[in-house]
Amino acid sequence: MKSRSAILTALVILLSMSVLVFSAQAQEGDELVISPQPCAEPGTLTMWVWDENWATIIGNSIELWKTEYCPGAEVELQVQPWGQYWDLLTTNAAGGELPDVFNMSQDRFRFYAENGVLLNLQPYFDEYGVDTTLWGTGLVDPYRWGEAGDLYAAPVNWDTIAIFYNKEMFDAAGLDYPTADWTWDDFAAAARALTDPENDVYGAAVYAEYQAGYPNWIAATGVTPVVDADRTMCTLTEPGSLEALNFLKGLYDEGVMPSVSIMGGTSADDAFNFWASGKVAMITGGSWKLSQAVDEVTFDWDVVQLPKHPETGRSRSIVHAVGYVASARTENPDLAANLILFLASDVGQRFFAEGGNVAPGNPSPELQQLWIDSFGDTGKNIQAFVDATEDSQGVTVFGEIWDAINSEIVVNIFDLDIPVEDAVAQACAVVEEYLVD
Amino acid sequence: MRSALLQWLGPTPLSRRHALWGMALVAPNVLGLMFFFGIPVLMAFSTSFQRWNAITPPEFVGFANFRRLLADPNFHQAFLNTLKLLALVVPGEVVLALLVAVMLNQPLRARNLFRTAYFLPVVTSTVAASVVWTSIFQPRYGSLSNLLAPLGLGEVRWLVDPGLVLIPIAVVAIWQRIGFDMVLFLAGLQAIPAELYEAARIDGAGRWQRFRHVTLPLLSPTTFLVVVLAVINGFQIFDQVYIMTLRTVPGGVGGSATTLTYYLYRRAFTNSEFGYASAVALVLFAAILLVTVFQLRIQRFWVYYEAGET
């Protein structure tokens, strides 16, 4: 009897332990993707974010952490507006007074990692039993650093790209609405049919600078856009890049796409505004534009995944994820890591999913559905953005290169009519200067 | 020692008290200038001899930043662009401001209203104004294009074409400075005694001759001041470049709109090369100083001071 109860007790303990392990890793059913853990010892942390709305959402999340998981802890949450965020971060890093926890973007990560400013979170993920591959590739790969590819950030959110299209223009042209299995050829045919020079209406505008523009087309050919993953070479002169850019340039030459000057700028926002004013039928747009589109666009519209490349059969969205990182010089590394784990967990991310607008970085299907529902009963195919995370490409271009060539290559090809081959050669010459350092 | 200090303050107790009061009153300004201007300027000097990314400790590199400047084609281009802008902006603003000032010195109806209108751009935020001007220069939908359409110019890509982009930037810079220069000119014009004009008229001088031989020489001290200030300001054009090229290619296609100030900003805050950026700032400082000293030297050839005023 005695031994049986001992075995039973041991079994119960084992079972409950395995539940603990599973709750951190399980991918199905009602199990959590990432479970929050209680902190070892409360303390005081400072945290910076750059967005007011995020501050509210994260603030609510932190309140829950303080009551349920870390009683006695204090977090001083500050908003440093985007316009000064990076300057302040740099100068504070110089003065050795970084906040304990702060938001990071994929394209700026490298600068801070190189200078040894960030805390390696990998040991904490290991300790908490979080398998970092659960986030896939595009969301976290740009935040890996060092020989072993340690992860230095936990994703806050993700943004993907899809095609926003004007349904009324499709109706007027007698075209069927596009579906997720459409190809570049279908896209080009639709864009031509939708172009109406007499009424100053264009078929498409899909070449915007970085995330919501031309690199998506390059990625679909299988080439990592602009710079390869190791950051050793410029990929714009690769055959895939040339094919994608020449495809877009062909549509521009035919008058199907407007020039940069006509749209007024190279950014995805310029394309979006042009689309929202009814001057173009299809644009590449980010998931961050959904709430604005739902609220402000007056015509009937929908979204569809980017068209598939005819040979590779892939539709690949550029993805970007803001991350939570901790300072390498924090006095409370354990506590900072515990807070980040909580904010990235299913519990902490729920606030983002419910808040709408920002898609939660945690891949839990329940959270993703919550996010889709947060836009209300729109009848729009918002799922297209979630689907786009599957075969996605993380941001490989870092600050200086982004600034140096992204808009310039767009203007050279789609405004100054410089041949694609010359424009990419010129861009690569600049990119390689930065890669040498 | 003590008495020397007292002597320095003033000969009598009363004058000393006045001197102390005066110092107390200017102290906040002087201290502010020292802390927020003097110290950063000194730091820029020392930083220009360092390699510093603002995160890792600075490293002394001697004249390396300055040697790099000499060989940096982007810096050469920024310098040349700055000179081109100066050539457009300085004559443009001085001539136009003088014209406006002379017009608004006449007994006009609603003269003060016009003066205010011309002065408004000075107190308008450069950033806001540049945003509006950017849309005016938009090639298809901008109002300038609509105005120029009858001339058959077509869609001019003012802000993208490397050969044109400095023109819209100069236009906005001139537009923003006219009011300021106008006020100086107006003060100068009003200081010219009316008798001189009367005498000239009696001597049979026409409008142009009165302007040429009375107004211009007597206004020359003001003109000198306006030109010096215009050159100093012209060397530092930044906001217009930043805002007007922001949506297409920041700094212009191939750096065609990049001025010295814009270049040093990009080096410092985009590329985190604070040492190199400080070296650019020092060169800019030296250029302004040289040109200003040169202007002071040559003023005796064209600036006319009335007797006793020099």
Side-chain angles (χ1 to χ4, degrees), chain A residues 48 80 86-99 329, chain B residues 54-55:
Chain A
W48 280 11
Q80 307 291 4
W86 300 104
D87 290 351
L88 269 178
L89 206 57
T90 315
T91 40
N92 276 51
E97 286 173 17
L98 276 178
R329 294 173 209 157
Chain B
I55 287 196

Side-chain angles (χ1 to χ4, degrees), chain A residues 402-416:
Chain A
W402 183 306
D403 290 326
I405 65 120
N406 255 308
S407 51
E408 184 138 347
I409 191 172
V410 168
V411 166
N412 276 338
I413 299 175
F414 302 103
D415 205 89
L416 297 176

Side-chain angles (χ1 to χ4, degrees), chain A residues 178-199:
Chain A
T179 53
D181 57 5
W182 65 332
T183 64
W184 283 18
D185 300 330
D186 301 330
F187 168 81
R192 285 186 195 106
L194 290 160
T195 303
D196 179 3
E198 274 177 28
N199 290 314

Side-chain angles (χ1 to χ4, degrees), chain A residues 90-399:
Chain A
T90 315
T91 40
N92 276 51
E97 286 173 17
L98 276 178
D100 299 303
V101 178
F102 51 101
N103 277 163
M104 178 53 59
S105 79
Q106 290 181 341
D107 62 301
R108 311 258 180 172
F109 168 76
R110 190 184 173 91
F111 175 71
Y112 293 92
E114 259 173 355
N115 284 292
V117 170
L118 303 177
L119 181 70
N120 183 358
L121 295 177
Q122 189 68 44
Y124 298 95
F125 289 129
D126 295 343
E127 184 190 327
Y128 288 126
V130 177
D131 175 3
T132 59
T133 60
L134 72 88
W135 283 293
T137 53
L139 264 70
V140 287
D141 279 356
Y143 288 123
R144 293 189 186 279
W145 186 251
E147 291 283 303
D150 288 349
L151 189 56
Y152 278 64
V156 181
N157 71 328
W158 54 259
D159 299 322
T160 52
I161 308 304
I163 302 274
F164 283 76
Y165 64 97
N166 183 325
K167 285 170 97 167
E168 292 172 16
M169 288 186 181
F170 273 76
D171 293 341
L175 295 174
D176 291 334
Y177 301 137
T179 53
D181 57 5
W182 65 332
T183 64
W184 283 18
D185 300 330
D186 301 330
F187 168 81
R192 285 186 195 106
L194 290 160
T195 303
D196 179 3
E198 274 177 28
N199 290 314
D200 203 15
V201 167
Y202 294 88
V206 295
Y207 57 67
E209 67 188 27
Y210 213 58
Q211 197 192 347
Y214 73 90
N216 294 280
W217 304 85
I218 295 178
T221 68
V223 174
T224 305
V226 186
V227 177
D228 66 341
D230 303 336
R231 294 182 173 174
T232 50
M233 63 177 256
C234 174
T235 60
L236 287 168
T237 47
E238 295 286 293
S241 300
L242 294 177
E243 185 198 347
L245 289 170
N246 274 313
F247 171 73
L248 300 177
K249 162 95 166 145
L251 292 174
Y252 164 73
D253 286 343
E254 286 176 46
V256 169
M257 290 207 282
S259 68
V260 172
S261 285
I262 287 171
M263 281 202 294
T266 52
S267 78
D269 275 359
D270 293 308
F272 182 88
N273 294 337
F274 206 64
W275 175 75
S277 61
K279 292 200 173 82
V280 60
M282 298 185 282
I283 53 154
T284 35
S287 47
W288 64 88
K289 281 304 209 183
L290 273 171
S291 59
Q292 190 186 346
V294 168
D295 291 345
E296 292 173 14
V297 172
T298 50
F299 50 78
D300 194 12
W301 59 275
D302 206 348
V303 287
V304 60
Q305 264 189 271
L306 294 163
K308 292 182 189 321
H309 183 268
E311 276 119 54
T312 64
R314 294 170 80 180
S315 141
R316 297 188 71 207
S317 162
I318 308 291
V319 69
H320 179 263
V322 174
Y324 293 112
V325 294
S327 161
R329 294 173 209 157
T330 175
E331 286 174 8
N332 283 314
D334 297 349
L335 190 66
N338 185 270
L339 174 62
I340 290 178
L341 178 86
F342 173 81
L343 292 173
S345 74
D346 298 37
V347 181
Q349 286 256 292
R350 180 169 284 269
F351 293 90
F352 266 114
E354 286 168 349
N357 205 1
V358 181
N362 185 312
S364 149
E366 191 201 339
L367 288 179
Q368 301 304 325
Q369 191 58 47
L370 259 181
W371 173 69
I372 292 173
D373 295 342
S374 73
F375 291 96
D377 188 13
T378 58
K380 314 290 183 201
N381 180 26
I382 296 174
Q383 181 68 34
F385 287 102
V386 182
D387 295 343
T389 56
E390 279 165 27
D391 189 6
S392 58
Q393 165 71 55
V395 172
T396 55
V397 171
F398 42 105

Side-chain angles (χ1 to χ4, degrees), chain A residues 411-434:
Chain A
V411 166
N412 276 338
I413 299 175
F414 302 103
D415 205 89
L416 297 176
D417 304 335
I418 292 174
V420 168
E421 285 70 14
D422 297 349
V424 295
Q426 201 182 318
C428 275
V430 176
V431 171
E432 261 139 30
E433 266 176 49
Y434 285 101

